[in-house]
Amino acid sequence: MIEKGKHFITCDGYTKDTFDLLMTDIFKSDIENPKKFEIGNKRKFVANLFYESSTRTNSSFYAAEKFLGFEVLNINGVVYSSVSKGETFEDTIRSIQTYADCIVLRHPETGAAKRASIISEVPIINAGDGIGEHPTQTVLDLYTIVKHFRKRKIEDLTITLVGDLKYGRTVHGLIKILHLYGCKINLVSPHQLKLPIELLRRDDNQFLNVTDEILKETDVLYLTRVQKERGAIISAGSYSLKEEHAKILNPNAIVMHPLPRMEELPTWFDNDPRAKYFEQMKNGLITRKYILKKILS
Ligand code: NCD
């Protein structure tokens, strides 16, 4: 799925075996050992074309690219490019591909990465397209889960996805993979922020609130913020993590969040051993090094 010279746009169209192989390959590549990564790519350019704000995705891609020895064109304020003069998206992609060997693209429009991949002669890596997907985040999320639960199978885990399941693209990618594994899935969201019907499976359990029963059986509690910039107009108050939830939550569970966090994930939880979102962030750098190396080697 992540191959030399190929686009990485979506988690669609793959099997459980593909993801098992991917995880095995990431662990086998000894990715966390910096000495294993030769700096032999000095002549390659990667363009990070970001039409939307980003902290972690942009900087982890940048850090991974520099670490691997690539030259980097970091265009993360398209207001300073010809886009502000009215240049079309297609013309921008056509131009950037002339200078770069790969384009990492973030765009507010769902399907933008696919559009770019149709015209681009260089690989496009989707770094988030509207409410579509964020496949490199999906890889880092899966890696975080597999790494933590080394002795258990993903299919035996209970995963609870909480928050803005309607507009949150990280959930949209992750749930596709979780469905392949067939693990137990709880979806907790206010009515207005339910998972789009086309992503829902019959076995998924939908709730409006976090209950004690859910907290006790959950192995992975994956929280997300309300995506106000995409049209969500509700507050996260109804599902934010509260002290009474933390007391009931399975002691062996992990709490994940793609970040940025808002009120749904209070800072008092940060020192709890079950908080894994900062580790998840570190895993973003690790897995993006793997993805870039694979596509550009
Ligand atoms: C996410 C995104 O951009 O989709 N952030 C990220 O890449 N880590 C989640 C979000 O913005 O809520």
Side-chain angles (χ1 to χ4, degrees):
M1 64 180 292
I2 299 170
E3 282 173 60
K4 184 173 177 177
K6 295 273 165 64
H7 304 297
F8 184 36
I9 305 295
T10 174
C11 295
D12 269 335
Y14 300 105
T15 63
K16 171 182 169 298
D17 288 351
T18 321
F19 285 92
D20 277 342
L21 277 173
L22 172 66
M23 287 300 131
T24 310
D25 199 39
I26 297 182
F27 284 108
K28 228 174 51 197
S29 71
D30 202 5
I31 200 97
E32 298 198 27
N33 176 357
K35 290 201 184 96
K36 287 268 169 167
F37 279 82
E38 76 277 15
I39 314 286
N41 301 300
K42 285 225 158 56
R43 302 182 73 86
K44 291 213 167 151
F45 273 81
V46 179
N48 297 329
L49 182 59
F50 277 58
Y51 286 72
E52 250 189 4
S53 55
S54 169
T55 304
R56 277 150 294 274
T57 307
N58 186 267
S59 27
S60 63
F61 264 112
Y62 184 84
E65 287 149 3
K66 295 306 275 185
F67 182 88
L68 291 167
F70 300 129
E71 298 293 339
V72 184
L73 265 165
N74 215 29
I75 307 171
N76 53 14
V78 289
V79 281
Y80 301 118
S81 76
S82 287
V83 171
S84 65
K85 300 179 192 164
E87 182 168 71
T88 65
F89 176 62
E90 274 71 14
D91 278 357
T92 303
I93 297 294
R94 270 188 206 104
S95 310
I96 304 292
Q97 65 160 18
T98 314
Y99 320 124
D101 300 290
C102 173
I103 300 173
V104 178
L105 176 73
R106 169 166 288 198
H107 200 280
E109 209 180 284
T110 309
K114 177 88 191 147
R115 258 172 74 197
S117 73
I118 291 166
I119 52 163
S120 174
E121 282 169 13
V122 301
I124 300 288
I125 300 179
N126 183 3
D129 63 326
I131 64 165
E133 274 194 53
H134 191 353
T136 64
Q137 177 78 36
T138 305
V139 173
L140 80 88
D141 288 344
L142 191 67
Y143 179 80
T144 304
I145 296 170
V146 172
K147 192 171 152 192
H148 183 82
F149 293 100
R150 277 310 259 283
K151 295 202 172 75
R152 290 179 64 187
K153 287 183 167 169
I154 301 188
E155 40 270 63
D156 296 335
L157 300 175
T158 297
I159 310 224
T160 301
L161 306 173
V162 184
D164 187 346
L165 309 182
K166 180 174 181 182
Y167 298 106
R169 58 192 169 201
T170 67
V171 164
H172 295 170
L174 184 58
I175 198 161
K176 288 180 184 171
I177 310 313
L178 298 179
H179 282 151
L180 294 176
Y181 282 91
C183 46
K184 181 167 183 188
I185 298 176
N186 296 320
L187 303 170
V188 183
S189 65
H191 191 70
Q192 299 90 321
L193 301 179
K194 278 189 168 174
L195 190 79
I197 193 94
E198 61 276 14
L199 289 173
L200 195 67
R201 289 277 173 89
R202 213 178 13 192
D203 291 343
D204 296 340
N205 307 298
Q206 287 188 288
F207 303 90
L208 292 174
N209 293 297
V210 188
T211 65
D212 291 2
E213 202 182 315
I214 296 174
L215 291 166
K216 282 181 197 153
E217 69 168 7
T218 291
D219 296 300
V220 178
L221 186 70
Y222 190 102
L223 288 163
T224 59
R225 73 183 170 97
V226 174
Q227 304 270 315
K228 292 214 165 79
E229 74 275 33
R230 305 194 200 286
I233 44 166
I234 197 171
S235 102
S238 71
Y239 66 81
S240 61
L241 188 71
K242 309 201 175 47
E243 283 183 45
E244 59 263 34
H245 294 147
K247 280 189 196 130
I248 299 165
L249 179 67
N250 174 356
N252 298 315
I254 60 171
V255 175
M256 295 174 63
H257 193 302
L259 303 175
R261 63 162 143 200
M262 304 289 137
E263 58 178 317
E264 69 284 351
L265 179 54
T267 52
W268 56 257
F269 191 73
D270 293 356
N271 293 326
D272 190 295
R274 294 168 294 182
K276 288 286 175 268
Y277 30 93
F278 296 125
E279 196 173 312
Q280 202 180 342
M281 201 171 73
K282 281 190 207 149
N283 291 340
L285 176 62
I286 292 163
T287 48
R288 284 178 180 126
K289 276 184 199 167
Y290 170 89
I291 292 166
L292 285 162
K293 191 173 180 209
K294 199 87 185 166
I295 291 177
L296 280 151
S297 64

